[in-house]
Amino acid sequence: MLDIKEKLKDLVETVMIPEVEDYLEDLSKLLETHSQTPDDMLAIQEMESFLVELQNILAVIEENKTPDSEYQRIYDYIMQNLDEHEHGHNLKEQED
């Protein structure tokens, strides 16, 4: 069984960072066509900041100076947000 640091690292590297990078790529296409809105510009700034936060999580894991309880808290927080996002996405699909 993977310890919480490995689970968190895997989640960040294989799920979160690729999703954020894909979203940023989609948003950058709006910039290329000059069809972005102010909300899109805000989303770009927020996603770039979030990407830095995710990279910081990986750096903290590498330092290995944080208690497992903190890794567990971060992991649980990300999973909760993923579940809420997925749940909200499914509700939106049902409404369409």
Side-chain angles (χ1 to χ4, degrees):
M1 182 173 169
L2 292 176
D3 72 349
I4 189 59
K5 288 181 282 196
E6 289 301 315
K7 286 173 61 175
L8 178 58
K9 183 178 178 182
D10 184 59
L11 176 64
V12 170
E13 287 181 333
T14 63
V15 177
M16 299 304 297
I17 288 178
E19 284 189 16
V20 170
E21 289 175 337
D22 287 347
Y23 187 50
L24 278 169
E25 187 176 317
D26 290 344
L27 290 170
S28 69
K29 289 176 185 172
L30 295 174
L31 291 174
E32 291 171 9
T33 61
H34 304 288
S35 58
Q36 74 275 8
T37 67
D39 286 342
D40 295 329
M41 295 303 297
L42 180 61
I44 289 170
Q45 291 172 345
E46 289 174 350
M47 288 296 103
E48 287 174 341
S49 293
F50 187 48
L51 185 57
V52 169
E53 289 178 34
L54 292 170
Q55 291 165 339
N56 287 339
I57 290 171
L58 293 177
V60 168
I61 291 170
E62 289 302 315
E63 288 177 3
N64 199 25
K65 294 181 180 177
T66 304
D68 283 358
S69 60
E70 184 64 13
Y71 297 125
Q72 185 68 54
R73 185 192 67 76
I74 296 167
Y75 180 84
D76 292 344
Y77 178 78
I78 291 172
M79 290 304 294
Q80 177 184 351
N81 284 308
L82 285 174
D83 289 344
E84 288 172 4
H85 176 75
E86 184 65 29
H87 181 70
H89 182 70
N90 288 343
L91 286 178
K92 184 171 173 26
E93 285 179 352
Q94 290 173 1
E95 291 172 357
D96 291 344

